[in-house]
Amino acid sequence: QVQLVESGGGLVQAGGSLRLSCAASGLTFSRFAMGWFRQAPGNAREFVAGISGITGGVNYADSVKGRFAISRDNAKNTVYLQMNSLEPEDTAVYYCAAARFGRLTWREEQYDYWGQGTQVTVSS
């Protein structure tokens, strides 16, 4: 049984930083591409960042480039999202996702497993 458990969300002032973690179990973690998505109230879920399970390559949504960084520790079966220079527009529930596909992808439909989400709130 695959489980993805996010942690690290919370309330932060604009300009601050947070680091999200996603601990995975029940899968061969190193073979999976991992991604972070977010959903703000009234909005569709959107891609934030992804990291390949094969090459470790990364990609980001334009809105977070230069501010967020995704990384993974295959020994700990964990993926991280370091979020700096946070803005009120970053307020959302952040979801971790895993894709058997293995390669870098921003496509939500290519992710097979999802975490329960963690709330990030950025105050102005």
Side-chain angles (χ1 to χ4, degrees):
Q1 179 182 355
V2 175
Q3 281 193 314
L4 302 176
V5 180
E6 301 99 334
S7 61
L11 174 64
V12 64
Q13 287 189 331
S17 298
L18 281 175
R19 188 195 197 201
L20 304 184
S21 300
C22 172
S25 60
L27 74 170
T28 306
F29 182 74
S30 61
R31 296 182 181 176
F32 279 67
M34 301 298 295
W36 287 97
F37 290 76
R38 66 187 181 186
Q39 186 168 21
N43 290 358
R45 189 158 57 186
E46 63 176 3
F47 172 79
V48 175
I51 185 165
S52 167
I54 299 172
T55 65
V58 299
N59 66 342
Y60 299 95
D62 287 344
S63 59
V64 307
K65 277 181 184 175
R67 300 188 299 123
F68 289 12
I70 187 171
S71 61
R72 65 191 298 157
D73 185 337
N74 288 340
K76 295 183 178 180
N77 283 10
T78 301
V79 62
Y80 305 97
L81 185 67
Q82 178 66 45
M83 305 186 295
N84 300 324
S85 302
L86 282 161
E87 303 167 352
E89 293 74 21
D90 296 316
T91 294
V93 177
Y94 283 70
Y95 297 91
C96 169
R100 284 194 203 94
F101 183 66
R103 291 183 173 84
L104 207 55
T105 179
W106 56 269
R107 296 183 180 275
E108 184 174 337
E109 64 270 20
Q110 291 186 323
Y111 286 86
D112 302 286
Y113 304 104
W114 294 82
Q116 81 289 350
T118 185
Q119 177 70 47
V120 171
T121 303
V122 184
S123 63
S124 56

